[in-house]
Amino acid sequence: MIIGTITQLWRYPVKSMGGERLEAATLSVRGIPGDRGWAVYDETRAGITTAKRAHALRHCKARYLTEPVAGEAPPSAEIAFADGTRVAADAPETARRLSETAGRSLSLRALGSAGSGAAPRVSSSGDSPEQIRALMGVLPGETEPDYSMFTPESLGALRQGNFFDAYPLHLISRTTLNTLRSIAPESEWDDRRFRANIVIESTEPDGYPEHAWVGKHLRIGAVLLEVVMGCPRCVMVTLPEPGLPADPRIMRTLVRETQHIAGVYMRVAQPGDVRVGDAIELL
């Protein structure tokens, strides 16, 4: 059954920064080659950090000048800062510029080739309940997202050799965004807030169609994708970025209407090529 078409493909060379829009991509077990190929390292806390802790990262954008190759270490990315300055990810001055932008000591780390390890993540150990709620974007009295499916062991296995939060691909439908927009029209439900790799036009006119695909498979040409789980949201979707204001009401709506979920996480069961305009079949 055809359930939609691809309208946008996105790759994010540096985790937490703005990404680059693609017309086509080759999907592998590590998702789109080069996606989250680089990440920001907090020198003080000795781990990979995100815009949840360093909000200024959302005002940076990154792109590749050389096309990444599946299974290989990513090439250097070009980072554009809010003032228009562009520097290479592997340039000596990049760590200083990042640190000045975020007000803390930061640097960049890249992934190696497939099968190699990745830099460790910043641990939330020692964070207060108030700090945890701030990272999740929830207020006192609101329910926190359900992460019970992620034991430390399972999450560690999922993050081995990558900088993903959990799974290598994220999809969201325009139907979901339009449904949320109809509920809370005072907010800007721009797809850029949600940092999906694949944005689709669904055949369903309303609701949250992709949430019903969890546990099923999607076929796009020769590609086979397993829909693993709904994507729980955090403070990231509320942060300001170029062209979008800060909006904590986004999380108020998601907590109330979808139990934090918007879009789905997927893994690649059968690699292959996809492009904008491709039809998506639900198996």
mmCIF file of all heavy atoms in Angstrom, residues 64-111:
data_model
loop_
_atom_site.group_PDB
_atom_site.id
_atom_site.type_symbol
_atom_site.label_atom_id
_atom_site.label_comp_id
_atom_site.label_asym_id
_atom_site.label_seq_id
_atom_site.Cartn_x
_atom_site.Cartn_y
_atom_site.Cartn_z
ATOM 1 N N TYR A 64 28.890 19.595 3.575
ATOM 2 C CA TYR A 64 30.081 18.950 3.047
ATOM 3 C C TYR A 64 30.416 19.561 1.694
ATOM 4 O O TYR A 64 29.531 19.778 0.861
ATOM 5 C CB TYR A 64 29.857 17.448 2.867
ATOM 6 C CG TYR A 64 29.811 16.673 4.170
ATOM 7 C CD1 TYR A 64 28.638 16.055 4.588
ATOM 8 C CD2 TYR A 64 30.943 16.539 4.958
ATOM 9 C CE1 TYR A 64 28.593 15.336 5.769
ATOM 10 C CE2 TYR A 64 30.906 15.818 6.143
ATOM 11 C CZ TYR A 64 29.728 15.211 6.552
ATOM 12 O OH TYR A 64 29.698 14.509 7.712
ATOM 13 N N LEU A 65 31.697 19.816 1.458
ATOM 14 C CA LEU A 65 32.157 20.255 0.148
ATOM 15 C C LEU A 65 32.607 19.064 -0.690
ATOM 16 O O LEU A 65 32.696 19.150 -1.912
ATOM 17 C CB LEU A 65 33.306 21.258 0.304
ATOM 18 C CG LEU A 65 32.960 22.520 1.110
ATOM 19 C CD1 LEU A 65 34.162 23.452 1.178
ATOM 20 C CD2 LEU A 65 31.753 23.238 0.518
ATOM 21 N N THR A 66 32.901 17.951 -0.009
ATOM 22 C CA THR A 66 33.219 16.677 -0.658
ATOM 23 C C THR A 66 32.181 15.650 -0.222
ATOM 24 O O THR A 66 31.876 15.550 0.972
ATOM 25 C CB THR A 66 34.628 16.190 -0.257
ATOM 26 O OG1 THR A 66 35.589 17.188 -0.617
ATOM 27 C CG2 THR A 66 34.962 14.878 -0.941
ATOM 28 N N GLU A 67 31.642 14.906 -1.160
ATOM 29 C CA GLU A 67 30.570 13.968 -0.837
ATOM 30 C C GLU A 67 31.079 12.810 0.013
ATOM 31 O O GLU A 67 32.074 12.147 -0.343
ATOM 32 C CB GLU A 67 29.937 13.428 -2.120
ATOM 33 C CG GLU A 67 28.646 12.676 -1.920
ATOM 34 C CD GLU A 67 27.522 13.539 -1.367
ATOM 35 O OE1 GLU A 67 27.585 14.785 -1.501
ATOM 36 O OE2 GLU A 67 26.584 12.964 -0.797
ATOM 37 N N PRO A 68 30.440 12.538 1.164
ATOM 38 C CA PRO A 68 30.841 11.395 1.991
ATOM 39 C C PRO A 68 30.589 10.064 1.279
ATOM 40 O O PRO A 68 29.717 9.965 0.409
ATOM 41 C CB PRO A 68 29.935 11.525 3.228
ATOM 42 C CG PRO A 68 29.483 12.944 3.223
ATOM 43 C CD PRO A 68 29.372 13.333 1.783
ATOM 44 N N VAL A 69 31.329 9.058 1.682
ATOM 45 C CA VAL A 69 31.208 7.721 1.110
ATOM 46 C C VAL A 69 30.779 6.757 2.219
ATOM 47 O O VAL A 69 31.357 6.770 3.312
ATOM 48 C CB VAL A 69 32.541 7.254 0.496
ATOM 49 C CG1 VAL A 69 32.438 5.815 -0.001
ATOM 50 C CG2 VAL A 69 32.961 8.193 -0.633
ATOM 51 N N ALA A 70 29.770 5.967 1.952
ATOM 52 C CA ALA A 70 29.265 5.018 2.947
ATOM 53 C C ALA A 70 30.381 4.115 3.449
ATOM 54 O O ALA A 70 31.151 3.556 2.665
ATOM 55 C CB ALA A 70 28.145 4.173 2.342
ATOM 56 N N GLY A 71 30.473 3.999 4.776
ATOM 57 C CA GLY A 71 31.459 3.124 5.396
ATOM 58 C C GLY A 71 32.801 3.762 5.658
ATOM 59 O O GLY A 71 33.609 3.204 6.404
ATOM 60 N N GLU A 72 33.059 4.932 5.057
ATOM 61 C CA GLU A 72 34.328 5.615 5.268
ATOM 62 C C GLU A 72 34.171 6.736 6.286
ATOM 63 O O GLU A 72 33.067 7.198 6.562
ATOM 64 C CB GLU A 72 34.855 6.188 3.941
ATOM 65 C CG GLU A 72 35.179 5.127 2.910
ATOM 66 C CD GLU A 72 35.789 5.720 1.655
ATOM 67 O OE1 GLU A 72 36.073 6.949 1.641
ATOM 68 O OE2 GLU A 72 35.975 4.963 0.677
ATOM 69 N N ALA A 73 35.286 7.189 6.847
ATOM 70 C CA ALA A 73 35.259 8.354 7.734
ATOM 71 C C ALA A 73 34.782 9.569 6.943
ATOM 72 O O ALA A 73 35.083 9.695 5.754
ATOM 73 C CB ALA A 73 36.644 8.612 8.313
ATOM 74 N N PRO A 74 34.014 10.456 7.566
ATOM 75 C CA PRO A 74 33.482 11.600 6.819
ATOM 76 C C PRO A 74 34.576 12.589 6.441
ATOM 77 O O PRO A 74 35.566 12.745 7.172
ATOM 78 C CB PRO A 74 32.500 12.229 7.810
ATOM 79 C CG PRO A 74 33.050 11.872 9.155
ATOM 80 C CD PRO A 74 33.611 10.479 8.983
ATOM 81 N N PRO A 75 34.411 13.266 5.312
ATOM 82 C CA PRO A 75 35.350 14.352 4.991
ATOM 83 C C PRO A 75 35.112 15.537 5.917
ATOM 84 O O PRO A 75 34.139 15.553 6.688
ATOM 85 C CB PRO A 75 34.990 14.703 3.543
ATOM 86 C CG PRO A 75 33.545 14.324 3.422
ATOM 87 C CD PRO A 75 33.361 13.115 4.298
ATOM 88 N N SER A 76 35.961 16.530 5.854
ATOM 89 C CA SER A 76 35.756 17.724 6.659
ATOM 90 C C SER A 76 34.480 18.426 6.222
ATOM 91 O O SER A 76 34.107 18.406 5.050
ATOM 92 C CB SER A 76 36.938 18.675 6.520
ATOM 93 O OG SER A 76 36.759 19.820 7.335
ATOM 94 N N ALA A 77 33.784 19.028 7.182
ATOM 95 C CA ALA A 77 32.577 19.801 6.893
ATOM 96 C C ALA A 77 32.901 21.286 7.005
ATOM 97 O O ALA A 77 33.817 21.678 7.737
ATOM 98 C CB ALA A 77 31.470 19.430 7.872
ATOM 99 N N GLU A 78 32.166 22.098 6.265
ATOM 100 C CA GLU A 78 32.288 23.550 6.393
ATOM 101 C C GLU A 78 31.205 24.050 7.331
ATOM 102 O O GLU A 78 30.024 23.758 7.138
ATOM 103 C CB GLU A 78 32.136 24.216 5.030
ATOM 104 C CG GLU A 78 32.259 25.730 5.094
ATOM 105 C CD GLU A 78 31.940 26.397 3.773
ATOM 106 O OE1 GLU A 78 30.748 26.441 3.403
ATOM 107 O OE2 GLU A 78 32.891 26.845 3.107
ATOM 108 N N ILE A 79 31.600 24.807 8.346
ATOM 109 C CA ILE A 79 30.664 25.331 9.340
ATOM 110 C C ILE A 79 30.457 26.818 9.104
ATOM 111 O O ILE A 79 31.422 27.572 8.970
ATOM 112 C CB ILE A 79 31.189 25.084 10.765
ATOM 113 C CG1 ILE A 79 31.310 23.583 11.018
ATOM 114 C CG2 ILE A 79 30.267 25.731 11.808
ATOM 115 C CD1 ILE A 79 32.006 23.247 12.309
ATOM 116 N N ALA A 80 29.192 27.234 9.025
ATOM 117 C CA ALA A 80 28.848 28.650 8.894
ATOM 118 C C ALA A 80 28.330 29.140 10.235
ATOM 119 O O ALA A 80 27.354 28.598 10.773
ATOM 120 C CB ALA A 80 27.791 28.841 7.814
ATOM 121 N N PHE A 81 28.984 30.153 10.803
ATOM 122 C CA PHE A 81 28.554 30.737 12.070
ATOM 123 C C PHE A 81 27.514 31.832 11.811
ATOM 124 O O PHE A 81 27.293 32.257 10.676
ATOM 125 C CB PHE A 81 29.761 31.288 12.829
ATOM 126 C CG PHE A 81 30.653 30.222 13.398
ATOM 127 C CD1 PHE A 81 31.693 29.685 12.653
ATOM 128 C CD2 PHE A 81 30.442 29.733 14.682
ATOM 129 C CE1 PHE A 81 32.510 28.694 13.161
ATOM 130 C CE2 PHE A 81 31.257 28.748 15.208
ATOM 131 C CZ PHE A 81 32.289 28.223 14.449
ATOM 132 N N ALA A 82 26.881 32.271 12.882
ATOM 133 C CA ALA A 82 25.792 33.240 12.759
ATOM 134 C C ALA A 82 26.233 34.543 12.108
ATOM 135 O O ALA A 82 25.432 35.219 11.452
ATOM 136 C CB ALA A 82 25.183 33.520 14.136
ATOM 137 N N ASP A 83 27.504 34.911 12.261
ATOM 138 C CA ASP A 83 27.999 36.155 11.675
ATOM 139 C C ASP A 83 28.407 36.005 10.212
ATOM 140 O O ASP A 83 28.926 36.943 9.600
ATOM 141 C CB ASP A 83 29.169 36.709 12.484
ATOM 142 C CG ASP A 83 30.386 35.784 12.482
ATOM 143 O OD1 ASP A 83 30.338 34.707 11.836
ATOM 144 O OD2 ASP A 83 31.382 36.125 13.146
ATOM 145 N N GLY A 84 28.181 34.817 9.654
ATOM 146 C CA GLY A 84 28.521 34.577 8.257
ATOM 147 C C GLY A 84 29.892 33.989 8.035
ATOM 148 O O GLY A 84 30.213 33.558 6.921
ATOM 149 N N THR A 85 30.727 33.937 9.061
ATOM 150 C CA THR A 85 32.058 33.344 8.944
ATOM 151 C C THR A 85 31.945 31.850 8.655
ATOM 152 O O THR A 85 31.114 31.151 9.249
ATOM 153 C CB THR A 85 32.859 33.548 10.240
ATOM 154 O OG1 THR A 85 32.921 34.937 10.535
ATOM 155 C CG2 THR A 85 34.260 32.984 10.107
ATOM 156 N N ARG A 86 32.789 31.360 7.746
ATOM 157 C CA ARG A 86 32.812 29.940 7.412
ATOM 158 C C ARG A 86 34.196 29.375 7.703
ATOM 159 O O ARG A 86 35.202 29.958 7.287
ATOM 160 C CB ARG A 86 32.453 29.716 5.940
ATOM 161 C CG ARG A 86 31.032 30.140 5.592
ATOM 162 C CD ARG A 86 30.746 30.001 4.109
ATOM 163 N NE ARG A 86 29.407 30.434 3.792
ATOM 164 C CZ ARG A 86 28.331 29.657 3.791
ATOM 165 N NH1 ARG A 86 28.477 28.372 4.092
ATOM 166 N NH2 ARG A 86 27.142 30.130 3.503
ATOM 167 N N VAL A 87 34.216 28.244 8.402
ATOM 168 C CA VAL A 87 35.495 27.594 8.714
ATOM 169 C C VAL A 87 35.340 26.095 8.510
ATOM 170 O O VAL A 87 34.235 25.551 8.575
ATOM 171 C CB VAL A 87 35.950 27.881 10.165
ATOM 172 C CG1 VAL A 87 36.204 29.355 10.388
ATOM 173 C CG2 VAL A 87 34.918 27.361 11.161
ATOM 174 N N ALA A 88 36.443 25.432 8.262
ATOM 175 C CA ALA A 88 36.429 23.978 8.109
ATOM 176 C C ALA A 88 36.394 23.305 9.474
ATOM 177 O O ALA A 88 36.992 23.801 10.441
ATOM 178 C CB ALA A 88 37.651 23.514 7.329
ATOM 179 N N ALA A 89 35.706 22.182 9.555
ATOM 180 C CA ALA A 89 35.593 21.468 10.834
ATOM 181 C C ALA A 89 36.952 21.081 11.382
ATOM 182 O O ALA A 89 37.142 21.044 12.605
ATOM 183 C CB ALA A 89 34.720 20.229 10.655
ATOM 184 N N ASP A 90 37.914 20.788 10.501
ATOM 185 C CA ASP A 90 39.225 20.361 10.960
ATOM 186 C C ASP A 90 40.241 21.494 10.986
ATOM 187 O O ASP A 90 41.445 21.257 11.131
ATOM 188 C CB ASP A 90 39.746 19.209 10.098
ATOM 189 C CG ASP A 90 39.787 19.553 8.611
ATOM 190 O OD1 ASP A 90 39.366 20.678 8.239
ATOM 191 O OD2 ASP A 90 40.230 18.698 7.812
ATOM 192 N N ALA A 91 39.778 22.759 10.866
ATOM 193 C CA ALA A 91 40.699 23.898 10.914
ATOM 194 C C ALA A 91 41.096 24.195 12.357
ATOM 195 O O ALA A 91 40.299 24.009 13.284
ATOM 196 C CB ALA A 91 40.049 25.125 10.293
ATOM 197 N N PRO A 92 42.321 24.691 12.601
ATOM 198 C CA PRO A 92 42.788 24.957 13.973
ATOM 199 C C PRO A 92 41.921 25.961 14.722
ATOM 200 O O PRO A 92 41.765 25.852 15.948
ATOM 201 C CB PRO A 92 44.207 25.499 13.756
ATOM 202 C CG PRO A 92 44.634 24.971 12.429
ATOM 203 C CD PRO A 92 43.393 24.912 11.597
ATOM 204 N N GLU A 93 41.350 26.959 14.014
ATOM 205 C CA GLU A 93 40.587 27.999 14.706
ATOM 206 C C GLU A 93 39.155 27.607 15.037
ATOM 207 O O GLU A 93 38.446 28.341 15.728
ATOM 208 C CB GLU A 93 40.573 29.277 13.873
ATOM 209 C CG GLU A 93 39.744 29.216 12.588
ATOM 210 C CD GLU A 93 40.558 28.799 11.381
ATOM 211 O OE1 GLU A 93 41.580 28.105 11.566
ATOM 212 O OE2 GLU A 93 40.177 29.163 10.261
ATOM 213 N N THR A 94 38.704 26.441 14.571
ATOM 214 C CA THR A 94 37.301 26.077 14.740
ATOM 215 C C THR A 94 36.931 25.873 16.205
ATOM 216 O O THR A 94 35.868 26.310 16.660
ATOM 217 C CB THR A 94 36.973 24.814 13.930
ATOM 218 O OG1 THR A 94 37.303 25.048 12.560
ATOM 219 C CG2 THR A 94 35.498 24.472 14.036
ATOM 220 N N ALA A 95 37.769 25.224 16.965
ATOM 221 C CA ALA A 95 37.489 25.006 18.384
ATOM 222 C C ALA A 95 37.351 26.338 19.113
ATOM 223 O O ALA A 95 36.451 26.514 19.954
ATOM 224 C CB ALA A 95 38.578 24.159 19.025
ATOM 225 N N ARG A 96 38.225 27.291 18.784
ATOM 226 C CA ARG A 96 38.126 28.608 19.429
ATOM 227 C C ARG A 96 36.820 29.297 19.068
ATOM 228 O O ARG A 96 36.157 29.862 19.953
ATOM 229 C CB ARG A 96 39.320 29.481 18.992
ATOM 230 C CG ARG A 96 39.252 30.916 19.525
ATOM 231 C CD ARG A 96 40.413 31.757 19.022
ATOM 232 N NE ARG A 96 40.464 31.819 17.568
ATOM 233 C CZ ARG A 96 39.681 32.627 16.836
ATOM 234 N NH1 ARG A 96 38.787 33.421 17.435
ATOM 235 N NH2 ARG A 96 39.795 32.651 15.521
ATOM 236 N N ARG A 97 36.414 29.245 17.804
ATOM 237 C CA ARG A 97 35.167 29.891 17.392
ATOM 238 C C ARG A 97 33.962 29.242 18.065
ATOM 239 O O ARG A 97 33.039 29.926 18.524
ATOM 240 C CB ARG A 97 35.005 29.827 15.872
ATOM 241 C CG ARG A 97 35.900 30.764 15.074
ATOM 242 C CD ARG A 97 35.663 32.229 15.441
ATOM 243 N NE ARG A 97 34.263 32.592 15.482
ATOM 244 C CZ ARG A 97 33.550 33.008 14.431
ATOM 245 N NH1 ARG A 97 34.123 33.111 13.263
ATOM 246 N NH2 ARG A 97 32.272 33.336 14.566
ATOM 247 N N LEU A 98 33.951 27.921 18.148
ATOM 248 C CA LEU A 98 32.856 27.222 18.822
ATOM 249 C C LEU A 98 32.794 27.611 20.294
ATOM 250 O O LEU A 98 31.716 27.851 20.844
ATOM 251 C CB LEU A 98 33.033 25.709 18.696
ATOM 252 C CG LEU A 98 32.649 25.057 17.369
ATOM 253 C CD1 LEU A 98 33.088 23.602 17.366
ATOM 254 C CD2 LEU A 98 31.158 25.165 17.107
ATOM 255 N N SER A 99 33.940 27.660 20.935
ATOM 256 C CA SER A 99 34.000 27.985 22.362
ATOM 257 C C SER A 99 33.503 29.397 22.621
ATOM 258 O O SER A 99 32.757 29.656 23.575
ATOM 259 C CB SER A 99 35.424 27.810 22.886
ATOM 260 O OG SER A 99 35.876 26.475 22.702
ATOM 261 N N GLU A 100 33.900 30.338 21.773
ATOM 262 C CA GLU A 100 33.438 31.711 21.918
ATOM 263 C C GLU A 100 31.935 31.808 21.695
ATOM 264 O O GLU A 100 31.238 32.541 22.404
ATOM 265 C CB GLU A 100 34.162 32.611 20.915
ATOM 266 C CG GLU A 100 35.639 32.808 21.210
ATOM 267 C CD GLU A 100 36.368 33.547 20.107
ATOM 268 O OE1 GLU A 100 35.761 33.770 19.028
ATOM 269 O OE2 GLU A 100 37.534 33.907 20.310
ATOM 270 N N THR A 101 31.422 31.058 20.733
ATOM 271 C CA THR A 101 29.987 31.096 20.416
ATOM 272 C C THR A 101 29.143 30.550 21.560
ATOM 273 O O THR A 101 28.095 31.112 21.904
ATOM 274 C CB THR A 101 29.712 30.279 19.138
ATOM 275 O OG1 THR A 101 30.402 30.870 18.038
ATOM 276 C CG2 THR A 101 28.222 30.219 18.826
ATOM 277 N N ALA A 102 29.598 29.454 22.155
ATOM 278 C CA ALA A 102 28.796 28.776 23.182
ATOM 279 C C ALA A 102 29.155 29.180 24.601
ATOM 280 O O ALA A 102 28.431 28.837 25.543
ATOM 281 C CB ALA A 102 28.945 27.263 23.035
ATOM 282 N N GLY A 103 30.275 29.880 24.798
ATOM 283 C CA GLY A 103 30.669 30.288 26.134
ATOM 284 C C GLY A 103 31.183 29.150 26.984
ATOM 285 O O GLY A 103 31.094 29.202 28.216
ATOM 286 N N ARG A 104 31.745 28.135 26.361
ATOM 287 C CA ARG A 104 32.359 27.023 27.081
ATOM 288 C C ARG A 104 33.410 26.392 26.177
ATOM 289 O O ARG A 104 33.405 26.631 24.961
ATOM 290 C CB ARG A 104 31.318 25.990 27.509
ATOM 291 C CG ARG A 104 30.599 25.300 26.364
ATOM 292 C CD ARG A 104 29.527 24.351 26.863
ATOM 293 N NE ARG A 104 28.394 25.099 27.408
ATOM 294 C CZ ARG A 104 27.382 24.531 28.060
ATOM 295 N NH1 ARG A 104 27.372 23.236 28.276
ATOM 296 N NH2 ARG A 104 26.374 25.261 28.499
ATOM 297 N N SER A 105 34.282 25.572 26.735
ATOM 298 C CA SER A 105 35.378 25.005 25.963
ATOM 299 C C SER A 105 34.890 23.823 25.120
ATOM 300 O O SER A 105 34.553 22.760 25.655
ATOM 301 C CB SER A 105 36.493 24.545 26.909
ATOM 302 O OG SER A 105 37.581 24.025 26.177
ATOM 303 N N LEU A 106 34.848 24.035 23.793
ATOM 304 C CA LEU A 106 34.331 23.028 22.874
ATOM 305 C C LEU A 106 35.338 22.742 21.767
ATOM 306 O O LEU A 106 36.160 23.590 21.423
ATOM 307 C CB LEU A 106 33.022 23.501 22.229
ATOM 308 C CG LEU A 106 31.862 23.860 23.152
ATOM 309 C CD1 LEU A 106 30.691 24.385 22.328
ATOM 310 C CD2 LEU A 106 31.432 22.659 23.994
ATOM 311 N N SER A 107 35.226 21.562 21.191
ATOM 312 C CA SER A 107 35.998 21.201 20.005
ATOM 313 C C SER A 107 35.115 20.294 19.156
ATOM 314 O O SER A 107 33.935 20.089 19.465
ATOM 315 C CB SER A 107 37.303 20.498 20.395
ATOM 316 O OG SER A 107 37.040 19.303 21.114
ATOM 317 N N LEU A 108 35.645 19.776 18.063
ATOM 318 C CA LEU A 108 34.892 18.881 17.193
ATOM 319 C C LEU A 108 35.566 17.521 17.116
ATOM 320 O O LEU A 108 36.793 17.426 17.139
ATOM 321 C CB LEU A 108 34.769 19.471 15.782
ATOM 322 C CG LEU A 108 33.740 20.575 15.575
ATOM 323 C CD1 LEU A 108 33.861 21.128 14.173
ATOM 324 C CD2 LEU A 108 32.327 20.074 15.823
ATOM 325 N N ARG A 109 34.760 16.490 17.045
ATOM 326 C CA ARG A 109 35.258 15.132 16.847
ATOM 327 C C ARG A 109 34.542 14.524 15.635
ATOM 328 O O ARG A 109 33.353 14.776 15.420
ATOM 329 C CB ARG A 109 34.991 14.257 18.080
ATOM 330 C CG ARG A 109 35.641 14.777 19.359
ATOM 331 C CD ARG A 109 37.159 14.663 19.313
ATOM 332 N NE ARG A 109 37.786 15.254 20.496
ATOM 333 C CZ ARG A 109 38.065 14.592 21.608
ATOM 334 N NH1 ARG A 109 37.745 13.300 21.708
ATOM 335 N NH2 ARG A 109 38.652 15.187 22.627
ATOM 336 N N ALA A 110 35.262 13.721 14.873
ATOM 337 C CA ALA A 110 34.687 13.052 13.705
ATOM 338 C C ALA A 110 34.591 11.557 13.953
ATOM 339 O O ALA A 110 35.343 10.990 14.757
ATOM 340 C CB ALA A 110 35.546 13.309 12.469
ATOM 341 N N LEU A 111 33.659 10.919 13.242
ATOM 342 C CA LEU A 111 33.597 9.466 13.267
ATOM 343 C C LEU A 111 34.742 8.891 12.449
ATOM 344 O O LEU A 111 35.271 9.547 11.544
ATOM 345 C CB LEU A 111 32.281 8.983 12.667
ATOM 346 C CG LEU A 111 31.002 9.272 13.440
ATOM 347 C CD1 LEU A 111 29.799 8.762 12.658
ATOM 348 C CD2 LEU A 111 31.043 8.621 14.817
#
